[in-house]
């Protein structure tokens, strides 16, 4: 039986967050680099974008029916269907292994330095196992800036379900209204806003703030500029 939808929380006040949750794939790490691995296994590189969208869609959609399976299973099945079920298991492994060696976006380290100077702890909020996310961030040279790593696999539901954000806030002993979710995915920020968190949208992926989401507390094209705007909010 599907869990009932959580009631919409009151919007968090415009205040500087005490803790920041930072999306990993797409926000911190460049998923588009996986395109070369599609070419390696004889597939067109444009299938990379469809694959990743399908992996997220699968997890988000199945979350509506209750707890869902780990991200790696959604990713593998999304890759299998996107490539027409024509890849061997070894070829699937080759593409998926690339998720552990993605380079960071240029604005991420600057954003993390800004948060460190403001003494705001940052937790990477990723998809997949905590160990897998940690390995990816280690290779990208970003883990040293983080207080820790949390994952949707730990709570069994995908964002933007309210339970995902609230479970992590409880795990970190953090007040939702003083916790910020930063992402390049507008649906992710919208989910955080509806759950009572502070929302920050970096628009470098989508090009602007969609009219279909609640207005974020701060937005900017670059992640480091977004962080500056959050830090400037009243304490």
């Amino acid at each position: 039986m599907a869990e009932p939808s959580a009631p919409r929380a009151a919007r968090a006040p415009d205040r500087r967050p005490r803790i920041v949750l930072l999306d990993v794939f797409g926000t911190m790490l460049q998923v588009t680099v996986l395109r070369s691995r599609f070419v390696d296994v004889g597939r067109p590189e444009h299938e990379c974008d469809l694959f990743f969208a399908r992996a997220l869609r699968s997890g988000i959609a199945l979350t509506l029916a209750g707890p869902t399976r780990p991200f790696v299973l959604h990713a593998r099945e999304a890759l299998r269907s996107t490539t027409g079920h024509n890849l061997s298991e070894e070829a699937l492994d080759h593409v998926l292994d690339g998720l552990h060696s993605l380079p960071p976006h240029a604005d991420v380290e600057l954003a993390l330095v800004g948060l460190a100077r403001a003494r705001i702890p940052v937790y990477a909020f990723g998809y997949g196992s905590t160990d897998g996310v940690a390995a990816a961030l280690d290779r990208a040279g970003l883990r040293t800036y983080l207080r820790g790593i949390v994952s949707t696999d730990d709570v069994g539901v995908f964002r933007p379900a309210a339970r995902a954000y609230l479970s992590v806030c409880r795990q970190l002993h953090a007040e939702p209204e003083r916790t910020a979710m930063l992402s390049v995915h507008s649906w992710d920020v919208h989910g955080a806003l509806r759950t009572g968190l502070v929302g920050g949208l970096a628009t470098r992926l989508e090009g602007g703030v969609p009219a279909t989401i609640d207005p974020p507390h701060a937005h900017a094209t670059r992640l480091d500029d977004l962080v500056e705007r959050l830090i400037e909010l009243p304490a």
Side-chain angles (χ1 to χ4, degrees):
M1 180 177 178
E3 297 180 355
S5 298
R8 178 179 176 179
R11 181 181 174 88
D14 286 30
R15 299 172 69 187
R16 183 191 307 163
R18 292 175 178 164
I19 287 180
V20 163
L21 305 177
L22 190 55
D23 172 61
V24 177
F25 294 120
T27 301
M28 298 179 75
L29 304 179
Q30 299 182 48
V31 178
T32 54
V33 171
L34 279 180
R35 291 171 181 168
S36 64
R37 293 197 175 227
F38 278 77
V39 175
D40 290 344
V41 296
R43 303 300 303 183
E45 66 175 22
H46 67 78
E47 287 185 346
C48 174
D49 300 340
L50 179 58
F51 146 70
F52 192 67
R54 280 180 167 175
L56 290 180
R57 180 206 62 185
S58 176
I60 292 169
L62 293 177
T63 288
L64 294 173
T68 187
R69 295 179 180 274
F71 174 72
V72 66
L73 297 180
H74 293 290
R76 195 172 194 88
E77 291 307 309
L79 181 57
R80 205 188 302 275
S81 63
T82 299
T83 56
H85 295 264
N86 290 318
L87 294 184
S88 67
E89 295 302 310
E90 292 76 13
L92 293 173
D93 288 340
H94 175 71
V95 175
L96 293 174
D97 285 348
L99 289 169
H100 298 143
S101 56
L102 301 175
H105 284 279
D107 55 356
V108 177
E109 187 169 16
L110 292 170
L112 292 171
V113 168
L115 289 165
R117 288 174 176 166
R119 297 185 178 181
I120 299 175
V122 186
Y123 292 82
F125 193 1
Y127 291 99
S129 70
T130 302
D131 288 344
V133 175
L137 293 172
D138 272 334
R139 289 190 178 94
L142 298 175
R143 194 177 177 192
T144 184
Y145 294 102
L146 302 172
R147 179 69 60 87
I149 296 169
V150 290
S151 170
T152 54
D153 277 12
D154 296 336
V155 295
V157 295
F158 277 48
R159 308 192 310 266
R163 181 182 163 194
Y165 306 102
L166 293 177
S167 294
V168 167
C169 286
R170 284 193 293 270
Q171 179 182 335
L172 302 179
H173 305 288
E175 300 171 281
E177 66 272 15
R178 300 307 300 269
T179 303
M181 181 74 221
L182 308 189
S183 180
V184 297
H185 306 291
S186 58
W187 51 263
D188 195 2
V189 175
H190 180 73
L193 289 165
R194 288 292 179 102
T195 310
L197 278 68
V198 175
L201 177 65
T203 60
R204 62 166 145 79
L205 175 66
E206 299 178 9
V209 180
T212 50
I213 73 165
D214 290 349
H217 291 79
H219 70 274
T221 302
R222 291 175 54 91
L223 189 64
D224 51 332
D225 292 335
L226 171 61
V227 163
E228 285 187 14
R229 293 182 184 183
L230 283 171
I231 292 171
E232 289 171 356
L233 291 175

